């Protein structure tokens, strides 16, 4: 079984000059565009696309990732864009890391921790949301396995409803649980296909 540890991610990022597009993910844009800016935690920030988008809209961002290669690229790009004063980058293994402080927005996109890790990891992230703040979790919906190649590790995927089930209803209002469609290019034949993002948006009381 593949172990997605720090070494795996460092090699994954080293294998390409830019692993991702550098753009913010569509679900972050859809869910956060109308929120007033404040303090944000971007957990699993990669090369920084979401953090840049937030900082450009006056959020103060703490951006955390396991890979120093990714973080070095993100920090260089933040400097180029004039955003260094709004983003603090931090290296950490999210499976063993607890955020400090409280945030108006905590977002984690496409982390896909295995089920034994998922609950405790997301509970720590949820614990960092300030009263009135927003939690946004985005994953590949399990249905994508029939549409595009994904690692044959079904334990990594969860529906938005499964993610929401771990939140205490006395502390949270569930705003959105959705399998939201998105058009992508198929990595093998190049044609356009529709995949779905599992999107959970919740607001702390």
């Amino acid at each position: 079984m593949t172990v997605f540890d720090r070494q795996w991610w460092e090699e994954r990022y080293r294998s390409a000059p830019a692993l991702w597009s550098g753009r913010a993910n569509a679900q972050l844009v859809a869910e956060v565009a109308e929120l007033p800016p404040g303090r944000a935690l971007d957990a699993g920030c990669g090369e920084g696309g979401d953090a840049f988008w937030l900082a450009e809209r006056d959020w103060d961002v703490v951006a955390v990732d396991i890979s120093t290669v990714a973080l070095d690229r993100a920090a260089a790009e933040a400097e180029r864009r004039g955003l260094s004063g709004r983003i603090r980058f931090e290296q950490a293994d999210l499976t063993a890391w607890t955020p400090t402080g409280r945030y108006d927005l905590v977002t984690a996109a496409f982390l896909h921790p295995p089920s034994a890790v998922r609950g405790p990891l997301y509970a720590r992230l949820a614990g960092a949301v300030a009263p009135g703040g927003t939690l946004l979790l985005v994953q590949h919906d399990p249905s994508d396995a029939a549409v595009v190649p994904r690692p044959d590790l079904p334990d990594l995927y969860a529906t938005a409803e499964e993610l929401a089930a771990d939140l205490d209803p006395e502390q949270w209002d569930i705003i959105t649980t959705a399998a939201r469609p998105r058009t992508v290019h198929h990595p093998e034949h190049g044609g356009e296909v529709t995949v779905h993002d599992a999107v959970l948006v919740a607001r702390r009381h």
Side-chain angles (χ1 to χ4, degrees), residues 144-150 183-195:
D144 283 3
V147 181
V148 292
R150 302 277 190 219
T183 301
V184 300
H185 290 286
H186 195 282
E188 294 178 350
H189 60 64
E192 289 192 342
V193 294
T194 299
V195 296

Side-chain angles (χ1 to χ4, degrees), residues 35-140:
L35 294 181
R39 297 188 70 229
L41 172 62
D42 180 6
C45 67
E47 293 164 318
D50 288 0
F52 304 149
W53 186 89
L54 289 165
E56 287 167 349
R57 285 151 184 81
D58 296 329
W59 290 83
D60 291 313
V61 185
V62 174
V64 182
D65 201 85
I66 196 171
S67 169
T68 55
V69 175
L71 291 170
D72 287 347
R73 290 178 183 172
E77 180 64 12
E79 179 72 23
R80 189 189 71 80
R81 297 190 188 196
L83 299 174
S84 296
R86 286 204 171 274
I87 308 174
R88 177 168 64 85
F89 294 100
E90 181 176 341
Q91 190 280 326
D93 180 349
L94 293 174
T95 66
W97 177 78
T98 299
T100 57
R102 290 291 186 94
Y103 298 84
D104 303 295
L105 170 68
V106 174
T107 178
F110 306 113
L111 290 182
H112 300 110
S115 59
V117 174
R118 183 186 304 128
L121 190 164
Y122 285 155
R124 290 192 297 273
L125 296 183
V129 178
T134 299
L135 175 69
L136 170 62
L137 303 179
V138 182
Q139 295 204 162
H140 297 303

Side-chain angles (χ1 to χ4, degrees), residues 154-199:
D155 188 50
L156 300 184
Y157 306 105
T159 65
E161 290 78 10
E162 288 170 332
L163 299 178
D166 288 334
L167 295 178
D168 182 351
E170 294 188 0
Q171 298 184 34
W172 295 91
D173 290 326
I174 305 301
I175 308 301
T176 300
T177 54
R180 194 166 289 161
R182 177 165 54 91
T183 301
V184 300
H185 290 286
H186 195 282
E188 294 178 350
H189 60 64
E192 289 192 342
V193 294
T194 299
V195 296
H196 290 80
D197 295 337
V199 181

